[in-house]
Amino acid sequence: MIEERTEDTAMVTFEQWELSARFALADRGIGYYGSEPIIADVRAHCLATGQSPGEAFGDPRQFAAATVRGRMQRPSAYLSGQLFLLSLGGIAVAVLFAMVDWSLDIPVSVAGLTGAALLIVASFAAWGVPQALRAAGRPGLAGASHLLAAGLGAAAVVTFLTLSHERLIGLPVPVVIAVAAGALVLSTRRR
């Protein structure tokens, strides 16, 4: 176990520094698999030199900022976490509909479909897009993305209240679960 002394002389283990660095890297769009080789390089350097990660690389947040500076990430690196959460939510909603109606069919209306689509886009604007903007060095636009998300959320409510609730089609629950499971696999595969 590698240890580090901070300004307040409290002992910080390598694992504590690593956890903070992983969170800071994730905030900048580098997920677990992307951060794994970065942390392995830090560990190897610290073991070879005897330095703590704080001595060698500084504060985890500053280390993450320096690591991602100039590094272009694919959009999927920023949005895969959001896709993962939406996929889990899709499975939960499908199961909930099946349990409430005792049916393997989800009724789809214009209001429900439009509202759901707007809420999905709003969730990306609220969580996935701001991370991508921060990692791209545009933290000021992250706030604008949150405003956009609020507007899309409000639009979803308005469309759900004003559009037709007449059933258009029935969406089979197993199909929803299969699509969501496929999205889960896609969002968790190694890059």
Side-chain angles (χ1 to χ4, degrees):
M1 186 180 306
I2 302 169
E3 296 182 352
E4 153 191 351
R5 287 205 180 269
T6 60
E7 297 80 43
D8 61 2
T9 68
M11 295 300 282
V12 176
T13 64
F14 182 89
E15 289 75 16
Q16 290 167 325
W17 185 93
E18 174 187 359
L19 183 62
S20 295
R22 283 188 189 272
F23 279 122
L25 287 166
D27 284 344
R28 287 164 178 80
I30 299 178
Y32 177 80
Y33 293 115
S35 67
E36 190 62 29
I38 296 168
I39 297 299
D41 288 345
V42 170
R43 182 178 300 276
H45 175 84
C46 291
L47 289 172
T49 64
Q51 290 180 302
S52 70
E55 292 169 335
F57 299 97
D59 177 72
R61 290 177 303 272
Q62 293 170 346
F63 167 76
T67 300
V68 299
R69 196 172 295 123
R71 181 187 286 218
M72 293 301 292
Q73 294 288 322
R74 295 185 316 260
S76 63
Y78 303 118
L79 303 175
S80 63
Q82 187 64 29
L83 178 61
F84 179 83
L85 292 175
L86 285 173
S87 301
L88 285 178
I91 292 171
V93 166
V95 169
L96 180 66
F97 267 98
M99 291 173 55
V100 168
D101 289 343
W102 288 101
S103 169
L104 289 178
D105 190 51
I106 300 172
V108 177
S109 67
V110 172
L113 189 60
T114 306
L118 285 170
L119 284 177
I120 288 170
V121 174
S123 73
F124 274 92
W127 291 287
V129 173
Q131 289 179 355
L133 290 170
R134 283 189 205 97
R138 299 235 190 264
L141 291 178
S145 181
H146 287 117
L147 289 174
L148 175 64
L152 288 168
V157 171
V158 169
T159 58
F160 187 75
L161 294 175
T162 59
L163 294 179
S164 170
H165 287 271
E166 183 179 331
R167 180 185 170 117
L168 293 175
I169 59 169
L171 196 58
V173 170
V175 169
V176 173
I177 291 174
V179 169
L184 276 174
V185 169
L186 180 66
S187 69
T188 57
R189 72 170 197 223
R190 285 191 107 141
R191 287 168 182 72

